[in-house]
Amino acid sequence: MSSEDVTRILVVGGGYVGMNTALRLQRKLKQELRQGTVEVVVVDPEPYMTYQPFLPEAAAGSISPRHVVVPLRRVLPQCTVVIGEVTAIDHDDHRATITTLAAEETGNGAIEVVYDELVLAPGSVSRTLPVPGLADVGIGFKTVEEAIGLRNHVLGQLDIASSTRDPAVRDAALTFVFVGGGYAGVEALAELEDMARYAVRYYHNIRPEDMKWILVEATDRILPEVGPEMGRYAVRELRARNIDVRMETRLESCEKRIVQLSDGSRFPTRTLVWTAGVKPHPILAATKLPLNEHGRVRCTPALQVDGVDHAWSAGDAAAVPDVTAEPPAGSDGPRPLCAPNAQHAVRQSKVLAENIAASVRGGPIVDYAHKYAGSVASLGLHKGVAHIYGRKLKGYPAWFMHRAYHLSRVPTFNRKARVLAEWTLAGLFKREIVSLGSLENPRAEFELAAGTGRHNEAS
C-alpha cells in the first residue's frame, strides 16, 4: 500500500481517540475523500470501539454488551478499516508494519502501509506487577469480553456456593477481591456487588451477608479524581454496604487461590479482579519517537509529536502539556500534563482532527486547551459521587449526573438511543441475573456429543 498519489493519514488505534479523530476527519475532509486525494486508514485489533465507562454497567447487566461497543466500519464508511495490529513504525521512512488476521492464517507475513500523516492513539493496556499467582488467577477489566466474563463468573460462583456443602469451597466462592481503587476498580466492584446482592434473593441458602467483597488500594484514598471529601464519602458508602475497603494495603500473593495482603490478611477466593492502573501501549516503544519517563509520547500543546513532523498523538498515549494549568510554584519547569482520562481524550480528538485537516490543507493549527471540569463515578444503582465545576454531589443526583454525562459522550445517536431505551426498560422491569458462562467455551456441548470433550461441570 503506497501513498504516491494520495495523502494517506494512518490512525493507529480505533479506540475513543482514534475513532473520533477519524470520524471528524470524514466530515472535515469530505471533499478530499470523495475526490480520492486523501485516504484515512484506521488500524485496530478489534472491529469496534469500546466505550469503557459503560463496562461496569455492562458487567452488572444494566446495558447490553453490544451497546457498549461501536462498530468501526459502520461509523467510518469513508475510511479504510484494517483489523490488525501495528507491530513496528519507521517514521523516518513513513512506513508501518501491520500483522493482520489473514497474515496469521496464511503465514505470508505482515503488510506494510506507507503514510503521510501518522496519528498514534493506541490507548493503554493493563499494568500488572510481578505478584506470585496473579497471571494465573487474575481477571482484568478493560474490555467488554472481560466485563461480561466477570459477570458470568460472579453469578457462577453463587451457583457453586449454593450447590456445595463444603464450607471451604463455599467461602472461597463467596469472596470477591478487587485490587485498585480507581474508577475501574470501584465502579466494577460497586456495580457487581449491587447485582449480586439482588441475585442472592433467588438463592434459598445464600444471604447477602454471606458474601465478602474486598477492595484493596495501595494508597491512602480511592477515587482521587473526585477529591478528598467525595473520596471519603465513597469509602463510607461502600463500608455501609459491608464492603471491606483496605487502603494503604498491597496484594502480596495469590498463589493457589489464596490472596495474601501486606497487612497480613489471607483470604481463600476464586475471584481476583486486577484494576491497579494502566500503562502505555507497547507499540509506542517500537516507534523511536520521543517518550517521557512514563513511556508516553511527548507532544506539543497542538498535539504534534514534539520535534517530529507529520506525527500526532492524543489520549492515553500522549503526554500533552496542560496550558490551562499553572506551572509549579517557584519553578520555571514545564506545566503539568493533561491527565490520561476520557474527558481529555474526547476533546483532544476534536482538536486533533481539526489540526490534521488544517495541516493537509495548509492552514493554521491551534493548541489544545481545556480546563478540567470535574469527575463523576457510579457506586451502584442510584448511588454515586461527583465533583463538577467545584460543586460536590453524592447519592442519587451524582448517579444521575454520571449517567447523563456518559450518555452524552457515547458515540453515535444510534448508541445513545439504545442505551437510553435499555435504562428505561430496566427501570420498569426486574434485573436479569442469568449467567451465560458457556459463551466462553461455545463448542463444549458439541465436543461432549462428539465424544471428544468433557461437560463444563466436569472440567
Side-chain angles (χ1 to χ4, degrees), residues 24 129 144 199 212 231 273 284 294 381 386 432:
R24 197 165 188 86
L129 298 176
V144 66
K212 297 177 185 176
V273 183
L284 300 182
H294 299 296
L381 192 62
E432 291 288 351

Side-chain angles (χ1 to χ4, degrees), residues 11-21 52 119-125 142 278-281 284 291-292 294-305 312-322 337-353 356 368:
V11 181
V12 179
Y16 211 104
V17 171
M19 190 205 73
N20 278 282
T21 299
Q52 293 187 356
V119 179
L120 272 175
S124 56
V125 297
K142 271 190 67 67
V278 295
K279 64 181 180 181
H281 197 284
L284 300 182
L291 307 179
N292 70 354
H294 299 296
R296 298 164 66 190
V297 180
R298 289 205 308 268
C299 293
T300 68
L303 305 176
Q304 290 178 302
V305 177
W312 312 77
S313 188
D316 291 355
V320 181
D322 186 352
L337 302 176
C338 294
N341 57 34
Q343 185 179 150
H344 283 298
V346 170
R347 291 165 173 82
Q348 284 176 356
S349 62
K350 177 180 177 181
V351 176
L352 179 58
I356 294 173
Y368 169 74

Side-chain angles (χ1 to χ4, degrees), residues 2 92 208 213 218 248 259 271 328 333 356 397 405 459:
S2 65
D92 292 336
W213 294 82
E248 298 185 274
V259 166
T271 308
I356 294 173
Y405 173 79
S459 60

Side-chain angles (χ1 to χ4, degrees), residues 138-310:
I139 303 172
F141 199 78
K142 271 190 67 67
T143 67
V144 66
E145 293 86 357
E146 288 174 329
I148 303 310
L150 182 57
R151 167 185 169 81
N152 292 331
H153 175 82
V154 169
L155 292 174
Q157 298 312 301
L158 299 183
D159 291 332
I160 291 174
S162 176
S163 60
T164 183
R165 295 183 180 180
D166 188 325
V169 173
R170 178 184 169 91
D171 287 345
L174 294 179
T175 300
F176 307 95
V177 180
F178 287 67
V179 181
Y183 278 126
V186 172
E187 290 190 340
L189 181 149
E191 291 282 357
L192 286 165
E193 190 274 341
D194 216 16
M195 178 202 70
R197 182 180 291 272
Y198 175 86
V200 295
R201 67 178 65 182
Y202 298 103
Y203 290 80
H204 69 281
N205 57 351
I206 302 178
R207 298 172 300 172
E209 52 268 29
D210 293 337
M211 296 185 292
K212 297 177 185 176
W213 294 82
I214 303 166
L215 177 64
V216 179
E217 168 56 37
T219 66
D220 61 351
R221 58 193 292 194
I222 66 171
L223 297 175
E225 296 86 354
V226 299
E229 182 181 342
M230 290 296 95
R232 289 191 292 270
Y233 167 80
V235 172
R236 293 196 301 270
E237 168 67 25
L238 295 175
R239 286 175 173 167
R241 290 157 58 179
N242 203 31
I243 296 173
D244 186 356
V245 180
R246 301 193 176 211
M247 293 181 287
E248 298 185 274
T249 306
R250 298 180 307 278
L251 175 67
E252 299 284 353
S253 172
C254 49
E255 292 182 301
K256 298 180 180 179
R257 295 186 183 272
I258 303 293
V259 166
Q260 183 170 336
L261 305 180
S262 60
D263 61 4
S265 303
R266 291 168 58 90
F267 302 100
T269 181
R270 296 172 60 90
T271 308
L272 175 67
V273 183
W274 180 267
T275 62
V278 295
K279 64 181 180 181
H281 197 284
I283 184 58
L284 300 182
T287 61
K288 298 182 181 179
L289 294 175
L291 307 179
N292 70 354
E293 63 274 15
H294 299 296
R296 298 164 66 190
V297 180
R298 289 205 308 268
C299 293
T300 68
L303 305 176
Q304 290 178 302
V305 177
D306 194 11
V308 181
D309 294 330
H310 307 293

